[in-house]
Amino acid sequence: MAAASLPETVEANKKRSNVKYVVTCATLASTASIILGYDIGVMSGASLYIKEDLKITDVQLEILMGIISLYSLVGSFAAGRTSDWIGRRNTVVFTGVFFFAASLLLGFAANYGMLMAGQFVAGVGGGYALTIAPVYTAEISPASARGFLTSFPELSINLGILLGFLSNYAFARLPLHLGWRVMLGISAAPSILMALLVLGMPESPRWLVMKGRLADARAVLDKTSDTSEEVAERLADIKVAAGIPADLDGDVVAVPRRSRGEERQVWKELVFSSTPALRRILLSAVLLQFLQQASGIDAVVLYTPRVFMSAGITDSDRLLGTTCAVGAAKMLFTLVATFLLDRVGRRPLLLSSTAGMVVSLVGLGVGLTVVGRHPDDDGAKVTWAVALSIASNLAFVSFFSIGLGPIASVYTSEIFPLRVRALGCALGVASNRLTCGVVSMTFLSLSKAITIGGSFFLYAGIAALAWVFFFTYLPETRGRTLEEMGKLFDVTGTGLEAEGDAAKEVVEMPTK
């Protein structure tokens, strides 16, 4: 009996060891997202001091806050090509260089122009981080834990946001001209540390197969798969998706380099003349990323101090302390989501999360509207409205973080076929960043036009439309391998289903 159980014991020990290895790799890849989140969070508090120190207008402040999202479009599109060229791992290192340069520019900024230059570099780095971290993590993860692991980038962004809020609180008492510069510049150190640590990660097995390095890919899969059988299955699936014949084997095989014509073909295949299945995948990713931001999350995160000021909190310590509570709630519920994604599934979390966001935004709109109609009140008569505003704010970021926040990046990174995955994720991130930029750069003006309460009623309406879209259009992806996703979206029985069947056939061939 002991002898019979020995292989099972060895397999179980290997699985535990591999889980630790994959978690370590996913954590390292997600460190870029921590720095991005820090840049987002720290700017919410630093902006108050920047405006006072540099004497800039609300319009200039809006542009400074939101322009980083538009700049990240450059990084998101460049990341797709860069990651196919130099590899997923080296692209993460490249991202760290951008963040390091941005930290120096922002920390030593002497005027508004230097701040804008720093935001441009940070935006490009942010586009890289938002694209490459989910792609790398999805490609290295076993199907059994992919939801858990690919939620790490979103978890890391929220950790970074919380650290940014804490930085605001810690350095707020420094002299005005120094405090905000320290807040913005201190992230230079972790940027360099990240770039050095990431060099110890393995390369994505899918990228290695695309380059013909089958032995290297097999070695990585052996360290990141649950069982030996899964190694063979994943490698066979990836080879089919990469267009490598099933009977072609060896340590290194010749894979033709992608020409410019083939790169244009990828654009044509995904965007201009795609199959019904690919169109549905692309529309799912683009609209999911759009609706994530259009429902107002960045308006809440970037302008949390202003929202609480509108709710009647004017003391700086209480203001920054309450802001930190928002960051803590966002971080906590994103952490909860990482453990639920592979147990509950994407759709249940997404639908319940969005429904909670609708209710919270309505509550926030009601509370801020009531407070806004009593500007000269001492607060005693509208204490309930102040409490409702604070509670609704915390509830909104909590509901967002347990579903729509992490699921957008998880879902986008796992539904595209291998040959168009980098470009597809880049388009999804571009949709996300463009929408984020518009929301961030219009919030103050929108609040003046329709009141701050009215702004959140508008976001509530968008979130309600998002719930309808998610319910009617997005299939469940839990437990599916990346190579099986085509069947979920191939509603007509053409296009991607053939690729999925081919992958299955190749996997089954050795067992016949």
Side-chain angles (χ1 to χ4, degrees), residues 250-261:
D251 292 344
V252 180
V253 299
V255 178
R257 292 185 62 182
R258 180 181 288 178
S259 65
R260 289 187 178 273

Side-chain angles (χ1 to χ4, degrees), residues 211-440:
K211 298 300 178 181
R213 296 163 55 181
L214 300 186
D216 292 338
R218 191 180 295 107
V220 174
L221 288 171
D222 191 55
K223 294 180 180 179
T224 60
S225 300
D226 292 337
T227 63
S228 300
E229 290 78 9
E230 186 181 355
V231 174
E233 291 176 2
R234 289 176 69 185
L235 183 59
D237 286 349
I238 296 168
K239 285 170 65 178
V240 170
I244 298 177
D247 57 352
L248 186 61
D249 206 352
D251 292 344
V252 180
V253 299
V255 178
R257 292 185 62 182
R258 180 181 288 178
S259 65
R260 289 187 178 273
E262 289 173 317
E263 291 176 359
R264 287 193 294 268
Q265 181 63 29
V266 171
W267 274 94
K268 182 180 179 181
E269 180 181 0
L270 182 60
V271 180
F272 299 111
S273 59
S274 59
T275 64
L278 266 180
R279 278 197 297 271
R280 187 181 177 192
I281 288 175
L282 180 61
L283 186 62
S284 298
V286 169
L287 284 182
L288 175 59
Q289 295 282 359
F290 164 78
L291 291 168
Q292 185 206 54
Q293 292 298 324
S295 54
I297 183 61
D298 266 45
V300 172
V301 172
L302 286 175
Y303 297 102
T304 290
R306 283 178 174 262
V307 172
F308 285 140
M309 287 173 68
S310 299
I313 301 175
T314 55
D315 178 75
S316 60
D317 283 344
R318 289 180 60 197
L319 186 65
L320 293 176
T322 311
T323 301
C324 289
V326 171
K330 204 168 185 300
M331 172 67 187
L332 174 62
F333 281 91
T334 304
L335 182 61
V336 172
T338 63
F339 293 98
L340 295 179
L341 277 168
D342 288 313
R343 298 180 182 180
V344 177
R346 281 57 157 165
R347 272 178 60 87
L349 281 179
L350 194 59
L351 294 173
S352 58
S353 162
T354 310
M357 288 166 57
V358 173
V359 175
S360 303
L361 286 167
V362 170
L364 189 55
V366 170
L368 292 173
T369 298
V370 171
V371 173
R373 290 180 178 178
H374 297 78
D376 299 323
D377 201 288
D378 60 3
K381 296 181 180 179
V382 291
T383 301
W384 68 269
V386 174
L388 177 62
S389 299
I390 296 173
S392 297
N393 191 303
L394 290 169
F396 173 72
V397 298
S398 300
F399 278 116
F400 175 87
S401 301
I402 205 170
L404 183 54
I407 288 174
S409 60
V410 170
Y411 208 86
T412 302
S413 66
E414 66 186 1
I415 60 177
F416 286 100
L418 174 63
R419 62 186 179 275
V420 295
R421 182 171 298 138
L423 175 60
C425 289
L427 291 173
V429 170
S431 172
N432 182 288
R433 293 296 87 195
L434 181 61
T435 309
C436 175
V438 172
V439 170
S440 303

Side-chain angles (χ1 to χ4, degrees), residues 428-457:
V429 170
S431 172
N432 182 288
R433 293 296 87 195
L434 181 61
T435 309
C436 175
V438 172
V439 170
S440 303
M441 294 172 67
T442 59
F443 179 72
L444 294 180
S445 300
L446 184 66
S447 298
K448 290 180 180 178
I450 63 174
T451 74
I452 190 169
S455 300
F456 288 109
F457 284 129

Side-chain angles (χ1 to χ4, degrees), residues 26 29-30 33 76 79-80 83-84 87-89 91-92 127-141 146 149-151 153 203-207 210 234 409-418 420-427 429 482:
S30 300
S33 299
S76 64
S83 63
D84 284 344
R88 291 11 177 181
R89 179 187 61 184
T91 301
V92 179
Y128 268 91
L130 288 167
T131 302
I132 193 58
V135 168
Y136 174 86
T137 307
E139 290 186 348
I140 204 170
S141 303
R146 193 177 59 249
L149 293 169
T150 51
S151 64
E203 185 50 82
S204 157
R206 287 175 173 83
W207 184 82
M210 287 171 63
R234 289 176 69 185
S409 60
V410 170
Y411 208 86
T412 302
S413 66
E414 66 186 1
I415 60 177
F416 286 100
L418 174 63
V420 295
R421 182 171 298 138
L423 175 60
C425 289
L427 291 173
V429 170
L482 295 180

Side-chain angles (χ1 to χ4, degrees), residues 18-31:
N18 286 3
V19 167
K20 293 178 181 178
Y21 185 75
V22 176
V23 168
T24 301
C25 293
T27 302
L28 288 175
S30 300
T31 50

